[in-house]
Amino acid sequence: MIARSWLFLPGDSDKKLAKGDGAGADALILDLEDAVAPEQKPIARMKVAAFLAERPRGSRPSELWVRINPLESGIALDDLVAIMSGAPDGIMLPKANGPQDVRALSLYLDAFEAQHSQRGGATRILPVATETAVAPFRLGDYADAGLARLAGLTWGAEDLSTAVGASTNLGPDGEWAFTYRMVRSLVLLAAHAAEVPAIETLYVDFRDEAGLEASCRAALAEGFAGRIAIHPGQVAAINRSFQPGEDQIAFAHRVVAAFAGAAEAGTVGLDGKMLDIPHLKQARHVLGMVQARSA
């Protein structure tokens, strides 16, 4: 299954963790980084470890991911020591500078999986690939990095704006400023070049369901496969939005059928329009997405 909704839950909040199972998210991200104050991190590790232990792999209503602290923070290994016995489905790696950080984390995971008798390679990695000033320059390197654990690429604007000393990451119109639109596009391209899903960043106003849904639909049309949520109330809209509509699915079936009925033809006519091989590939992509969602 390709996860559509990725819901953040602060690792030190019993109340918010308790809402995770019923949120309907495809993936929960148990947060040990920015949502947790420094003095609370040891407590958060214990709570996240317990949350994982109570939900063994194979019995989880959602995938369980953990956002650890950055590798360069000096406490990422403390996070892994605490939580890897619980066999998380994946690790979100914040402030990744490039594929080399994913490779370093992979080596740590090799050791922890062996220590806990877990299947090698079972723990996947989702880097937040734009949170440092150098990271955007290395996005294209993911395509040829050979990272077996790489589950996707996502991006964030808040830490990047801090990294470059910006007072805001928004333009006068309230939309992303140019720098952040640029890195968003680069993440989308880098993810597809690496043949992994591109995951859209969060939508800040959790009360604006209509705006969230419109934004998600636009992101899906561009090629994103899912989105991060910061509130359980966002999950349903994200799940609805990141799947093809019935009309789109029906049209995709018709395109595939039209090409099947015109053996070895490079173009076909449908509804008064000429379609070529890229249209066929797009139709197959839509149908493949539907199949992946139901797997």
Side-chain angles (χ1 to χ4, degrees):
M1 181 187 75
I2 299 175
R4 300 160 297 178
S5 50
W6 302 70
L7 175 62
F8 269 117
L9 297 173
D12 62 341
S13 172
D14 290 325
K15 180 180 178 181
K16 292 180 179 178
L17 288 171
K19 294 180 179 180
D21 289 336
D26 292 337
L28 302 178
I29 305 171
L30 313 176
D31 195 10
L32 297 177
E33 195 214 9
D34 284 348
V36 180
E39 62 273 13
Q40 286 290 107
K41 289 186 187 293
I43 295 171
R45 292 185 189 108
M46 289 189 292
K47 291 182 183 295
V48 168
F51 191 94
L52 291 166
E54 293 164 3
R55 297 160 178 79
R57 275 186 184 162
S59 64
R60 297 168 175 171
S62 305
E63 289 189 358
L64 299 182
W65 289 64
V66 179
R67 179 165 73 168
I68 62 172
N69 286 278
L71 292 184
E72 60 192 29
S73 69
I75 60 173
L77 275 177
D78 294 335
D79 297 338
L80 295 172
V81 167
I83 59 95
M84 280 303 295
S85 62
D89 293 289
I91 301 295
M92 174 176 274
L93 179 61
K95 299 176 180 66
N97 287 311
Q100 72 279 9
D101 284 352
V102 176
R103 189 172 293 109
L105 176 56
S106 295
L107 293 175
Y108 292 142
L109 295 179
D110 289 343
F112 282 111
E113 287 171 344
Q115 176 187 356
H116 297 295
S117 301
Q118 297 166 7
R119 178 171 59 83
T123 314
R124 293 164 291 156
I125 300 173
L126 178 67
V128 189
T130 66
E131 291 186 314
T132 71
V134 72
F137 294 100
R138 295 174 178 165
L139 285 168
D141 296 340
Y142 284 98
D144 301 317
L147 301 169
R149 295 182 186 269
L150 188 67
L153 292 176
T154 190
W155 74 288
E158 302 303 326
D159 284 289
L160 180 58
S161 59
T162 299
V164 301
S167 60
T168 181
N169 48 37
L170 302 177
D173 59 356
E175 302 295 328
W176 296 120
F178 173 76
T179 298
Y180 309 94
R181 296 198 309 272
M182 176 185 68
V183 297
R184 176 181 180 271
S185 296
L186 290 174
V187 165
L188 174 64
L189 293 170
H192 284 275
E195 299 183 346
V196 295
I199 307 302
E200 176 68 291
T201 194
L202 54 85
Y203 189 86
V204 175
D205 188 351
F206 62 86
R207 294 162 296 188
D208 181 12
E209 183 172 334
L212 170 63
E213 193 154 353
S215 178
C216 290
R217 284 290 182 190
L220 174 66
E222 288 182 78
F224 285 90
R227 186 168 209 150
I228 292 170
I230 56 170
H231 189 279
Q234 295 181 312
V235 169
I238 292 174
N239 285 344
R240 283 195 306 271
S241 301
F242 278 97
Q243 55 190 11
E246 292 183 6
D247 291 347
Q248 190 178 5
I249 295 169
F251 182 72
H253 278 296
R254 293 179 62 217
V255 171
V256 171
F259 276 94
E264 300 186 15
T267 60
V268 298
L270 186 65
D271 298 339
K273 299 178 181 178
M274 293 303 299
L275 307 181
D276 55 15
I277 297 302
H279 294 96
L280 175 60
K281 291 180 178 179
Q282 176 61 21
R284 287 173 173 166
H285 172 73
V286 169
L287 299 179
M289 189 184 305
V290 174
Q291 184 177 6
R293 299 294 190 214
S294 61

